[in-house]
Amino acid sequence: SMHSLIGIVIGLLLVFRNTTGYERWWDGRKIIGNLSQEISMISIRLNLIDGNTKEVISIRTNIDVFLKRLCDYLRSGDDGTESEGFHIEQTKSIQKSMVSLKRLNPNDMVVDELNKSIGMLLSYSNSLERIKNTPIPISYKLHIKISILIYLMTLAFGMFHELGVWGAPLVMLVYYIIAGVEIISNEIENPFGSDPNDLPTEELFSVIRKSLWIKN
C-alpha cells in the first residue's frame, strides 16, 4: 500500500540520518585516538633528546597549552565567534613549539621526526573543529521531523481502521522506535558535548596530556 511505501521511505531516511550521526561520533573518536598516539611519540622522541633541557620543556609546555585549549573548545567553545581566535591560538602554540625545536640540532633525525609530528597536531585539531562546527543541515533535519510527524499522524488512522483498538499500542510502538532513532541521532551528531552518549572528551584529553609529560 501507499502507506507502507511511505514507511519504507521514512525508514531509509532514518537509517541515513543515524548513520551520518554515528560516523561523526566514530570519526571524532578515531581522530582523538590518532592524536593520542602522536602525542605519545612526541613524548618518546623528546626523551631521546633530553627531557630536561629548556627547549624540550618549552615544547612540552606549548603542546600542553595546545591540548588544553583544544579540549575546552570542543567541550564548550562557540561555533562561530570563537573559531577565529581558536585557530590563531592553536597556530601560535605550534609555532612556539617549532621555534624551540629549531634551537636543537636541525640535522638530528629525531628532531626531523618531531617536526613532522608537531605539524600533524594542527591537522588533528582542524579535523576535530570541523566535526564540531559542521552540523547536519537544518533543512534536512526539519524535513525528516515533518515527514515523521505526517507519517505517524496518518498511521494512526490506518491502524485503527484495520485493527481497531489494537492499533493504539502498535502506533505507540512504532512511534517509540522512530522517535528513539531520531533522538539518538541528534545526541551523537555532536560527539564532544555533555550528553551521556557523547565522548568522554575531558577524560580522554587528560590521559593524552599526562602521556605528554612522561619522562625517562
Side-chain angles (χ1 to χ4, degrees):
S1 66
M2 180 61 68
H3 207 273
S4 298
L5 180 61
I6 294 173
I8 293 172
V9 173
I10 293 293
L12 291 174
L13 285 172
L14 284 173
V15 168
F16 181 75
R17 172 84 172 91
N18 187 254
T19 301
T20 302
Y22 180 75
E23 282 180 354
R24 291 162 61 88
W25 188 92
W26 180 238
D27 196 22
R29 183 63 187 91
K30 285 196 298 182
I31 295 170
I32 292 177
N34 292 334
L35 175 64
S36 176
Q37 181 178 347
E38 204 73 58
I39 291 296
S40 294
M41 291 306 301
I42 287 172
S43 182
I44 291 170
R45 286 166 180 151
L46 288 173
N47 287 332
L48 289 175
I49 297 172
D50 184 351
N52 296 311
T53 64
K54 177 182 176 182
E55 288 78 13
V56 168
I57 292 174
S58 175
I59 292 169
R60 279 194 163 105
T61 300
N62 282 297
I63 293 177
D64 194 35
V65 171
F66 175 93
L67 293 171
K68 185 178 186 307
R69 182 69 178 96
L70 176 57
C71 179
D72 291 344
Y73 181 76
L74 292 176
R75 288 281 291 165
S76 58
D78 184 82
D79 293 352
T81 56
E82 286 189 28
S83 181
E84 183 178 353
F86 166 75
H87 280 289
I88 292 173
E89 290 174 19
Q90 295 300 83
T91 302
K92 284 182 178 179
S93 294
I94 296 301
Q95 183 177 340
K96 289 177 181 178
S97 298
M98 288 185 167
V99 168
S100 297
L101 187 62
K102 191 176 181 181
R103 297 194 184 103
L104 301 171
N105 184 1
N107 298 320
D108 193 318
M109 188 171 66
V110 175
V111 172
D112 184 55
E113 292 298 322
L114 270 169
N115 192 62
K116 293 177 184 177
S117 289
I118 292 174
M120 281 296 296
L121 298 183
L122 271 179
S123 175
Y124 293 132
S125 177
N126 290 340
S127 295
L128 292 171
E129 186 264 350
R130 168 183 53 81
I131 294 174
K132 174 182 172 60
N133 289 345
T134 310
I136 304 297
I138 295 177
S139 57
Y140 175 71
K141 292 197 289 187
L142 189 62
H143 175 73
I144 291 181
K145 290 181 185 296
I146 293 175
S147 299
I148 290 173
L149 179 62
I150 293 173
Y151 174 72
L152 290 174
M153 288 177 65
T154 56
L155 179 65
F157 292 105
M159 288 295 182
F160 286 137
H161 177 73
E162 294 178 10
L163 302 175
V165 293
W166 292 105
L170 187 57
V171 170
M172 291 175 65
L173 177 62
V174 173
Y175 174 80
Y176 171 78
I177 295 172
I178 293 177
V181 172
E182 174 63 14
I183 291 170
I184 291 170
S185 300
N186 273 326
E187 282 203 5
I188 64 176
E189 72 177 34
N190 177 16
F192 312 118
S194 55
D195 294 326
N197 293 313
D198 289 333
L199 294 172
T201 308
E202 289 183 355
E203 290 82 355
L204 291 171
F205 271 83
S206 176
V207 173
I208 294 173
R209 291 174 65 195
K210 287 178 182 177
S211 70
L212 174 66
W213 289 97
I214 294 176
K215 299 181 180 180
N216 292 330

